[in-house]
Amino acid sequence: MSDTVVPVRTGPKLTIRQKLLAKSAVGLARLLARKPPARIRVLLTRLSKGARPATHAEAEAARDAVVTVSLRCAAFEGCLPRSLATVLVCRARGTWPTWVVGVRARPPFGAHAWVEAEGRMVNEGVDPAYFRSLFTVGVPGDRP
């Protein structure tokens, strides 16, 4: 006999408009995640032009909306579509967090993608020293 486990959704209460934006971003992110990393980087670099840097609160709200509408993005293994959807939601709102691709610095080694705003990781729940950045896509001219 097996029991069905249903995760409890404790995310923010979203308006219909916010849900639609987040779900659209998740759909686009899933398509984008199938592309090679270099192609993703080029596309995101183009998208980031003209945006203002996202505040930590703005990036956190975007990430919360994404994980509220998508169980796949809420899972730890959903880091790539989650991070992509988060930057897409932010961009739709006129802002851009820094999209980061890196690796775990300690075993088990593996790739990871996340977003940062105001120089801090957004809701990753681990010490930033746990990861090493390989490349980033931020707002052009925001970082030296």
Side-chain angles (χ1 to χ4, degrees), residues 25-26 29-30 63 66-83 85:
V26 168
R30 290 182 66 193
R63 186 185 189 279
V66 166
V67 299
T68 297
V69 301
S70 172
L71 285 175
R72 179 170 288 160
C73 288
F76 183 76
E77 298 81 15
C79 65
L80 182 56
R82 176 178 59 242
S83 64

Side-chain angles (χ1 to χ4, degrees), residues 9 19-20 22 29 37 39 66 74 83 89 91 101 103 111-112 129 134:
R9 295 266 180 141
K19 283 181 188 176
L20 197 61
R39 182 73 178 136
V66 166
S83 64
V89 169
R91 186 61 185 109
V101 174
V103 293
H112 189 59
L134 296 176

Side-chain angles (χ1 to χ4, degrees), residues 24-91:
S24 299
V26 168
L28 287 171
R30 290 182 66 193
L31 292 173
L32 190 55
R34 295 179 183 154
K35 303 287 183 202
R39 182 73 178 136
I40 295 172
R41 187 178 190 180
V42 168
L43 289 169
L44 293 184
T45 299
R46 287 181 185 157
L47 280 176
S48 69
K49 290 180 182 169
R52 69 172 176 76
T55 65
H56 195 272
E58 290 167 332
E60 187 173 42
R63 186 185 189 279
D64 288 346
V66 166
V67 299
T68 297
V69 301
S70 172
L71 285 175
R72 179 170 288 160
C73 288
F76 183 76
E77 298 81 15
C79 65
L80 182 56
R82 176 178 59 242
S83 64
L84 291 170
T86 300
V87 297
L88 293 172
V89 169
C90 283
R91 186 61 185 109

Side-chain angles (χ1 to χ4, degrees), residues 120-135:
R120 297 181 289 148
M121 296 174 91
V122 178
N123 289 356
E124 285 301 313
V126 296
D127 182 358
Y130 186 65
F131 297 109
R132 294 290 180 260
S133 171
L134 296 176
F135 65 86

